[in-house]
Amino acid sequence: MYEMKIASPYNNLINLKVSQGHFATTSSHINYYIDLTTLKARANEAKAVAKSMSHEYIATTIVDTIVCLDSTDVVGAYLADALTESGIMSMNQHGTMYVITPEINSMGQLTFKDNVVPMVNNRHVLLLLATATTGHTTEKAIECIKYYGGSIAGISAIFSAVDQVQGYNIHSIFHAKDIEGYTSYSSHECPFCQAGVKLDGLVSAGGLSEMR
């Protein structure tokens, strides 16, 4: 697959790697695969991503906990540091932030273990995602956080194709408009499938599994 890079205007360490084709996620079919592997796992890139995200939040925002989805734990840890340095307040006893990840049960629902629930209950929670393609996963995460008694302080993603989910703004470094022709389809309305074009790969939070 042909890969191209889209650079962030804010930091030369932040580059979006995209490949055109026919791909399936758990909730949609897309015409571009977005590879965020190094942005999530390479320390200097993850730190740059976190620093860029932190600018979206003013010093009067309160963040007690960062809930990480899509293997964004490294970015989450750096984001906690960046927010602390910028003067973001935490109501936690020790004046620092929790960085946690929900589990996924056999029914695909997001849950928190009993020992982690106190880090969500009555906390101001910042939701961190790698991508928000349709908003479906973001909706599940919002519902999960609220179920366990948390309140949404903000939502950040490296890439987002949606501007809002349940009335909450999605703050993203890259948007669908940055990728020319980027489109997401429901599986039964996918023009590639209707034309008999086979999938190039399956996309999950862990990356891409090629089909060819």
Side-chain angles (χ1 to χ4, degrees):
M1 289 179 292
Y2 173 73
E3 180 183 276
M4 61 181 178
K5 293 183 179 181
I6 300 172
S8 164
Y10 309 107
N11 191 311
N12 58 13
L13 286 175
I14 306 175
N15 293 288
L16 201 65
K17 301 173 185 176
V18 300
S19 300
Q20 193 168 13
H22 178 202
F23 308 98
T25 72
T26 55
S27 57
S28 66
H29 284 208
I30 50 179
N31 61 341
Y32 279 94
Y33 164 59
I34 301 170
D35 184 1
L36 302 175
T37 306
T38 60
L39 290 179
K40 294 188 293 184
R42 188 175 289 163
N44 62 341
E45 293 182 29
K47 187 174 184 178
V49 168
K51 188 68 174 178
S52 180
M53 286 179 169
S54 70
H55 296 320
E56 295 289 347
Y57 302 94
I58 59 177
T60 53
T61 302
I62 299 173
V63 177
D64 302 314
T65 301
I66 299 175
V67 169
C68 305
L69 297 184
D70 307 332
S71 303
T72 57
D73 308 68
V74 178
V75 176
Y78 281 121
L79 181 56
D81 281 343
L83 291 175
T84 302
E85 290 174 2
S86 68
I88 295 293
M89 296 180 292
S90 169
M91 302 300 289
N92 293 332
Q93 182 179 357
H94 300 288
T96 188
M97 298 175 195
Y98 298 113
V99 181
I100 60 176
T101 300
E103 297 191 1
I104 304 176
N105 65 21
S106 58
M107 299 177 65
Q109 298 169 319
L110 301 179
T111 63
F112 291 106
K113 293 294 188 182
D114 291 348
N115 59 306
V116 178
V117 170
M119 301 177 189
V120 179
N121 187 39
N122 293 321
R123 307 291 180 182
H124 300 85
V125 179
L126 174 59
L127 176 59
L128 174 62
L129 308 101
T131 62
T133 305
T134 62
H136 178 67
T137 300
T138 309
E139 285 184 345
K140 290 202 299 183
I142 291 171
E143 291 168 1
C144 173
I145 291 167
K146 288 184 174 180
Y147 175 81
Y148 287 99
S151 61
I152 306 298
I155 303 175
S156 286
I158 301 174
F159 170 84
S160 181
V162 292
D163 297 318
Q164 286 190 339
V165 175
Q166 292 190 6
Y168 297 101
N169 291 329
I170 308 295
H171 302 292
S172 63
I173 297 175
F174 297 98
H175 193 273
K177 62 186 177 184
D178 296 317
I179 305 175
E180 185 176 356
Y182 177 91
T183 310
S184 172
Y185 310 96
S186 61
S187 59
H188 64 276
E189 294 178 345
C190 175
F192 295 111
C193 292
Q194 293 174 357
V197 178
K198 294 183 178 180
L199 286 170
D200 292 304
L202 302 176
V203 178
S204 68
L208 173 69
S209 298
E210 292 191 28
M211 302 290 287
R212 296 180 178 178

